[in-house]
Structure formats: structure tokens, C-alpha cells
């Protein structure tokens, strides 16, 4: 992929950032102004990223449902399981895999007492 194509694919994100910078009132030179801008950028970029990933999450949920429906078919389960296990743990959890969600929870360290 060329740099031009990579930049073109980032145009919607760049537009989100540019609009946020343009629309967020900031007092130049103040820490509060910078913090306000960073906070608004964070919210807007997170919303953008969420909107971009929702179709992928929906597709993964469909794949997971198909995998669950294929349980009686040993070959299909083996193939789908091999493919599924290559996905990151958090992605599998978001798609509805309860085992992956449990593994993620197990990775969270206990709070210090």
C-alpha cells in the first residue's frame, strides 16, 4: 500500500480530529485548555473508532454463532476453532466467546490490599 492510499484511508479520522480542534474552545497556553482539547479529542476519536469497528464486531458475532451451530460437525468445529483461536483474546470476548471473556478476567491482577 502506498503512502497516498494509507493517508486517503485515514481521511475520515483526520476530518474528525480537524473538526474537534476547530470546534473545541481552547485558551492558548493554559494547561486547562490543552486538557479540554485532549479530552474532547479522546472522546471523538473513540467514538469514531467504535463506529468503524461495529461492523467487524457484528461479523465476528456471526462467525461465532456459526461456529456454535456447527458443533455437531466435527470437521467444521476443528476448522472454525483453528481460525477462531488465531484471533486476539479481547476480540473473541467482544464477539461473545464466554471462554475468552473468562480468560481475560483471569488475566486481571487482584487489587493490592
Amino acid at each position: 500500500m502506498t503512502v497516498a492510499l494509507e493517508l486517503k484511508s485515514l481521511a475520515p479520522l483526520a476530518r474528525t480530529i480537524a473538526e474537534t480542534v476547530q470546534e473545541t474552545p481552547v485558551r492558548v497556553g493554559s494547561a486547562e485548555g490543552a486538557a479540554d482539547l485532549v479530552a474532547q479529542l479522546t472522546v471523538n476519536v473513540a467514538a469514531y473508532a467504535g463506529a468503524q469497528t461495529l461492523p467487524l464486531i457484528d461479523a465476528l458475532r456471526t462467525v461465532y454463532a456459526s461456529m456454535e451451530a456447527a458443533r455437531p460437525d466435527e470437521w467444521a468445529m476443528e476448522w472454525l476453532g483453528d481460525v477462531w483461536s488465531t484471533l486476539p483474546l479481547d476480540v473473541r470476548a467482544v464477539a461473545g466467546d464466554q471462554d475468552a471473556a473468562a480468560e481475560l478476567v483471569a488475566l486481571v491482577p487482584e487489587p493490592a490490599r
Side-chain angles (χ1 to χ4, degrees), residues 6 16-17 21-22 36 38 58 69 71-72 79 82 88 99-100 106 112:
E6 289 175 7
T16 297
I17 293 169
V21 169
Q22 185 178 14
D36 291 345
V38 169
D58 288 342
R71 281 205 183 273
W79 184 83
D82 288 347
D99 293 334

Side-chain angles (χ1 to χ4, degrees), residues 3-70:
V3 172
L5 281 176
E6 289 175 7
L7 289 176
K8 186 175 182 178
S9 68
L10 292 174
L13 175 59
R15 185 172 30 260
T16 297
I17 293 169
E19 288 171 358
T20 302
V21 169
Q22 185 178 14
E23 295 169 2
T24 304
V26 176
R27 281 182 292 156
V28 178
S30 76
E32 295 84 15
D36 291 345
L37 178 58
V38 169
Q40 194 61 53
L41 275 169
T42 302
V43 167
N44 291 359
V45 169
Y48 169 84
Q52 297 301 307
T53 58
L54 282 178
L56 175 60
I57 291 169
D58 288 342
L60 287 170
R61 286 184 178 138
T62 300
V63 169
Y64 186 70
S66 297
M67 191 171 88
E68 288 295 306

Side-chain angles (χ1 to χ4, degrees), residues 56-65 67-68 80-104 107:
L56 175 60
I57 291 169
D58 288 342
L60 287 170
R61 286 184 178 138
T62 300
V63 169
Y64 186 70
M67 191 171 88
E68 288 295 306
L80 285 168
D82 288 347
V83 171
W84 190 254
S85 66
T86 64
L87 296 172
L89 196 57
D90 56 338
V91 171
R92 289 184 278 150
V94 167
D97 185 334
Q98 295 300 313
D99 293 334
E103 284 185 56
L104 273 178
L107 292 175

